[in-house]
Amino acid sequence: MTQSSKIAARLLESGASAYAAYATNQLLDRHPELKDSFGPDAFGHWKNYFTQRVRELAAAVDESHGELFVSQFRWDRAAFQTRNVGEEILLAALESLRMTLNEELPANCRSVVDGYVEQGLAVFGETPDPSSSLDQNDPTAGISARYLLTILEGKSHQAIEMILDEHRKGLSLPKTFEVLMKAQAEIGSMWHRAEISVGEEHLVSNTTQRAMSILTYFAERKPANGLSVVSAAVAGNTHDLGLRAISAFFELDGWQAIHTGIDNPSEEIANSVASFGASLVLISAALPTHLKATRESVQAVRSLQPDCKIILGGRIFLDSPELWQQFNADGFATAPVEAVAMGNQLCADRIQQ
C-alpha cells in the first residue's frame, strides 16, 4: 500500500460522517425532488447511507482491494431495484460522493480514491444477478424451499420436523446443515429484495438455530481429541449462524467447541483463546467494515497465544476468496466439513489419539 493510500483510508474512516453530510447536501441540492420522495428525514436517510459507503470505501482502500467496495455497491443496486427506486438515483448518489471526495480530500489522495469509485460506477454496466439464490439444479434446493415456505406460514415446528425427517431418511448431516444454510442465504436475499419483513427473517433464523441445535444434540460424536476451538464473530458482526454450524461440527469431531457468538471485541477473542487454552480459533467477518476488527483480532490472538492456529471465514472472505491471505491467518474456510478438515490438519501434531 502506498503512503497516499494509507492516508486516504485513515481520512475516509475518521471523516466518514462529515463526508457523508457533504455528499448528502450535494445530492439533495442537485436533486431536490428526493426531499419529497424520501420524506421529512431525507437528509438523515442519505447521510446514513453515505456514511456506510464511505466506511466501506475506507476498508477497500485500506486493504488495496477494490472488490470490497464494488461488491457492496452491487448489493445496493439490487436493493434499490427491488424497492422501486430508480437506478438513476443510485448513480446520482455515487456521483455526489465522488464530487464530495474530490473536493474535500487532499490532492495526493484523490486519484487513489477516485479509482475505487470508478469501479463502483462500472457496476451499472453489469447484468443483475438472478432473483433467487437457490440453484434449481441442486437436488436439495427443493428441501430448502419447502423448509422456508413452512416457516413463513407460521409453522416452525413442522419445518424443523421436516428437516429431521429428511435426515432420518438418509440425508447426511453435512448435507442437512447445507440445506439449512442455503435456506438462510435465500431468506437473506428475500429480505434484500423487500419480499419479507425483518420479523419474518428473524423467525427463519431463530428456527434454523433451533434445528441446528437439535441435529447436533442427537448426532454421533467422536471421542474427545484433547483440543479446544473458539469461534467468534468480530466486533460489529451480528451474523453467526454459519459460524455456529462450523462450531457444531468441530464438537462432533471430538473438539471442545466454545462459540462466543456475535460482536466480540478483539481483546475478548484473544482472552477466550487463552482462557480455554484453545489450539484453534475461528474468526468470522461479514462486511468490509469488519476487516479492521478482524485484523486487530488476529493480532491480539497472535500476541497473547502465538501458537494458536487461526482460520478466517464469513461472507466478506467468501466474496473475495484470496483476501484472507492479507491477514496473518493460517487458512480460510467456507463450510463446516472444510473447516474441520483444515483444523485437524493445522493441529495434527497436538491431537490425542
Side-chain angles (χ1 to χ4, degrees):
M1 183 192 297
T2 66
Q3 187 64 25
S4 294
S5 295
K6 291 180 181 179
I7 295 172
R10 299 300 172 266
L11 287 174
L12 289 170
E13 177 63 30
S14 62
S17 181
Y19 294 134
Y22 295 151
T24 299
N25 283 326
Q26 285 266 18
L27 179 65
L28 297 180
D29 286 347
R30 295 169 61 208
H31 297 275
E33 70 278 5
L34 296 180
K35 296 177 183 178
D36 295 326
S37 57
F38 280 84
D41 193 30
F43 182 88
H45 169 88
W46 283 104
K47 184 175 182 288
N48 289 337
Y49 173 81
F50 281 123
T51 299
Q52 187 65 18
R53 298 297 82 76
V54 173
R55 287 175 176 161
E56 290 161 0
L57 184 56
V61 174
D62 196 36
E63 298 297 334
S64 301
H65 200 87
E67 182 61 26
L68 294 175
F69 180 65
V70 173
S71 63
Q72 293 303 120
F73 196 73
R74 194 176 287 123
W75 185 260
D76 285 346
R77 184 194 185 200
F80 272 54
Q81 289 174 335
T82 57
R83 287 162 174 78
N84 297 317
V85 179
E87 193 169 83
E88 69 278 1
I89 295 177
L90 184 58
L91 178 59
L94 189 57
E95 289 287 6
S96 295
L97 178 60
R98 186 182 203 175
M99 290 173 60
T100 294
L101 296 178
N102 279 332
E103 291 173 3
E104 299 298 331
L105 286 173
N108 62 328
C109 299
R110 292 172 193 162
S111 61
V112 173
V113 173
D114 199 59
Y116 288 86
V117 178
E118 189 67 34
Q119 293 180 55
L121 288 167
V123 168
F124 289 96
E126 298 177 353
T127 301
D129 290 337
S131 59
S132 176
S133 60
L134 293 177
D135 182 358
Q136 298 307 309
N137 295 318
D138 179 356
T140 63
I143 303 175
S144 297
R146 286 190 288 113
Y147 169 75
L148 278 181
L149 180 60
T150 304
I151 298 173
L152 293 175
E153 289 175 346
K155 303 173 183 175
S156 291
H157 179 79
Q158 291 182 25
I160 293 173
E161 186 58 40
M162 184 194 76
I163 289 296
L164 296 178
D165 189 52
E166 291 290 344
H167 180 51
R168 286 190 289 262
K169 289 190 297 187
L171 191 65
S172 70
L173 191 64
K175 280 292 184 182
T176 305
F177 269 71
E178 188 177 302
V179 164
L180 293 173
M181 290 301 98
K182 287 177 180 176
Q184 282 301 129
E186 177 64 6
I187 204 67
S189 296
M190 291 173 70
W191 177 84
H192 192 60
R193 300 192 301 267
E195 296 173 358
I196 61 168
S197 68
V198 172
E200 288 171 317
E201 189 277 332
H202 288 176
L203 174 63
V204 174
S205 296
N206 290 335
T207 303
T208 296
Q209 184 173 326
R210 288 165 54 199
M212 285 167 44
S213 296
I214 294 169
L215 286 164
T216 303
Y217 182 81
F218 288 105
E220 183 178 352
R221 285 167 168 74
K222 291 184 179 180
N225 64 11
L227 299 185
S228 296
V229 55
V230 168
S231 58
V234 299
N237 184 6
T238 58
H239 300 279
D240 74 335
L241 267 179
L243 195 59
R244 283 177 181 271
I246 293 175
S247 181
F249 272 70
F250 270 98
E251 180 182 330
L252 297 177
D253 198 62
W255 293 67
Q256 180 188 20
I258 298 96
H259 178 65
T260 61
I262 63 172
D263 198 20
N264 289 272
S266 58
E267 64 274 12
E268 291 303 323
I269 294 176
N271 288 338
S272 295
V273 168
S275 295
F276 292 99
S279 296
L280 176 68
V281 61
L282 314 171
I283 298 176
S284 176
L287 300 173
T289 49
H290 300 156
L291 292 178
K292 181 180 179 182
T294 302
R295 191 176 299 282
E296 291 173 349
S297 298
V298 171
Q299 292 172 347
V301 171
R302 291 292 188 219
S303 176
L304 195 59
Q305 292 289 104
D307 293 334
C308 181
K309 301 298 183 181
I310 301 173
I311 297 177
L312 301 181
R315 185 189 129 200
I316 191 63
F317 294 105
L318 184 61
D319 289 344
S320 305
E322 75 286 358
L323 179 63
W324 75 268
Q325 298 174 23
Q326 298 184 26
F327 297 75
N328 186 21
D330 298 293
F332 155 69
T334 62
V337 173
E338 177 189 8
V340 172
M342 184 178 295
N344 285 332
Q345 182 180 19
L346 289 171
C347 301
D349 59 334
R350 311 178 199 180
I351 295 177
Q352 296 177 3
Q353 302 299 326

